[in-house]
Amino acid sequence: MAPVPRLGGSGPKMRRLIPLIALTLAMLLGAWLGGESWLAWQLRGLASGGGVLAVDDLHPRRDPLAPGVTLVTPRLTLGPTTLGFARADLVLAPLAPTRARLDLPATARLALPGGSHELGLGPPAIHARLLPLAGLLAAEASIATGALTLDGQPLASGAEARATLVRLGHDAPPEARTAYDITLALSDLDPAALPQAGRLAEAIPAPRRISLTASGRLWLDRAPAPAALAAAPFPQPVGLRVDTARITIGPASARLLGRIEADDEGRARGAIAIYTTDADRVIAAGAAAGLLPPGAAGLAQGMIRAISAMPMPGDDRPEDPENAAAPHSAPAAGGAMRFPPAAPGELRLPLILEDGRVRLGPIPLGRAPFLRVQDPDAAPG
């Protein structure tokens, strides 16, 4: 019979390994504790500069299974709007320290120029992949909410957004330094729940809901790392490309395609094509929302087919064979876009932004919105 191996000889080896294992665990724990302190230091700098984020207090979590930072009464401010929470926990994944999630309560306080409201969020699921060597710049970020409420009233059935850091691309505006591919979704928004949208809610036939899905690319003049968000001037958009978007307003729907950039004053310039089989309803909803000046809606509805026959910028350029089979227009060299013709039964309405003005075909609609505000304290006109 074969001799039974003796295990006793492995005892001294195991005893020598135990200190090494303990030392390794201690080093990992120290790294986590140090990483928490470093993250808290970064966030404290972001919150102390009078920028986007303000907090009453923040401290490391000191939880080896869920390391991160706790923020007490964090508040996010963008222009006249402030979103505040009782608490937030930025939690790092123990085995993937560049990945983080943000735990928020199910309700927030939304301060608007017209008053303060309780916003119900679901609660939201927020995740990000950070780049520590780039100042905690987000390489990926996503948010998905549950059902949204405003002051206890149903607002929307949900919202999602995702941003992914990408290369600038050949069609980037000259001022662009960072680019993100963006996807957005908003489901069943009830405009009647918004205090400022009463006219729009009344103008939408049943079902009185608005839904939106969109994807495209956003260019910024600087990377939105925490250090850049600590104090003004903040990173600002210099270009937006809408690759595909669909908006549903009650029974009407439209799809959008286009590209805008910031001009010398920071106002949007470019072109957006609106494709729809419900042009009259879409125009009426735009008028109810205040997007069209008085009298423009009736004029546009009376000229709708003439407007649809007008060319879009780039219609006179030859088609790129590589993009001929694309389901939507692809960017051409130098940042221009090609707009495909309307599908059978659709109208293609050109929305043109140039020289600081917006027009629907030949019909002036007013001043172009600001894409980039050069003076963050100035109120957009």
Side-chain angles (χ1 to χ4, degrees):
M1 186 174 68
V4 177
R6 298 179 61 186
L7 300 178
S10 62
K13 295 180 180 178
M14 288 299 298
R15 285 193 293 271
R16 288 194 295 269
L17 286 176
I18 288 174
L20 293 177
I21 295 173
L23 178 61
T24 301
L25 292 176
M27 291 175 63
L28 289 174
L29 180 60
W32 277 118
L33 295 177
E36 281 187 323
S37 298
W38 179 79
L39 181 60
W41 174 74
Q42 289 278 343
L43 293 175
R44 189 170 287 110
L46 171 60
S48 63
V52 175
L53 176 67
V55 298
D56 287 350
D57 189 21
L58 62 85
H59 54 80
R61 289 172 51 84
R62 300 307 188 208
D63 182 351
L65 299 179
V69 176
T70 294
L71 296 86
V72 181
T73 320
R75 300 172 299 280
L76 297 173
T77 300
L78 295 173
T81 302
T82 298
L83 185 64
F85 297 88
R87 172 190 173 116
D89 287 283
L90 183 62
V91 181
L92 303 177
L95 300 181
T98 62
R99 294 193 174 272
R101 75 172 191 268
L102 184 63
D103 293 339
L104 295 173
T107 59
R109 204 69 199 170
L110 178 64
L112 299 172
S116 180
H117 306 274
E118 182 184 80
L119 179 65
L121 296 169
I126 304 175
H127 297 86
R129 181 168 65 86
L130 307 175
L131 301 176
L133 298 182
L136 291 182
L137 178 67
E140 299 173 2
S142 65
I143 178 172
T145 74
L148 299 173
T149 61
L150 190 68
D151 295 329
Q153 299 299 313
L155 177 62
S157 61
E160 297 183 17
R162 178 178 295 274
T164 303
L165 185 67
V166 295
R167 295 180 181 275
L168 288 177
H170 73 279
D171 58 334
E175 303 88 353
R177 297 297 178 266
T178 303
Y180 282 91
D181 278 350
I182 306 291
T183 60
L184 302 172
L186 176 65
S187 302
D188 298 325
L189 173 69
D190 182 2
L194 297 171
Q196 299 87 351
R199 288 183 56 211
L200 177 59
E202 294 174 359
I204 298 177
R208 292 181 169 86
R209 296 292 186 271
I210 298 174
S211 296
L212 169 70
T213 59
S215 64
R217 179 163 296 182
L218 176 67
W219 288 280
L220 303 172
D221 61 359
R222 285 189 295 154
L229 299 173
F234 307 120
Q236 298 192 37
V238 294
L240 173 65
R241 192 183 73 214
V242 180
D243 294 330
T244 178
R246 177 170 291 275
I247 183 169
T248 301
I249 306 174
S253 65
R255 56 190 181 96
L256 286 75
L257 173 72
R259 174 191 170 103
I260 56 176
E261 297 182 13
D263 64 13
D264 293 339
E265 294 183 356
R267 294 185 182 272
R269 66 180 177 195
I272 298 173
I274 304 172
Y275 299 84
T276 181
T277 59
D278 303 291
D280 288 342
R281 289 174 173 172
V282 170
I283 291 173
L291 301 178
L292 280 70
L299 183 60
Q301 289 170 331
M303 299 176 58
I304 196 67
R305 295 205 172 273
I307 293 174
S308 178
M310 296 182 64
M312 291 291 299
D315 279 355
D316 56 346
R317 288 193 303 270
E319 181 66 57
D320 184 347
E322 294 184 2
N323 297 326
H328 55 75
S329 172
M337 293 193 74
R338 293 186 178 90
F339 298 89
E346 278 188 331
L347 297 178
R348 186 185 71 173
L349 308 178
L351 192 66
I352 308 300
L353 302 92
E354 62 182 359
D355 300 327
R357 312 293 296 184
V358 186
R359 54 184 172 85
L360 180 63
I363 301 175
L365 302 182
R367 299 296 300 273
F370 278 101
L371 184 62
R372 181 188 66 227
V373 181
Q374 294 179 341
D375 181 2
D377 296 324

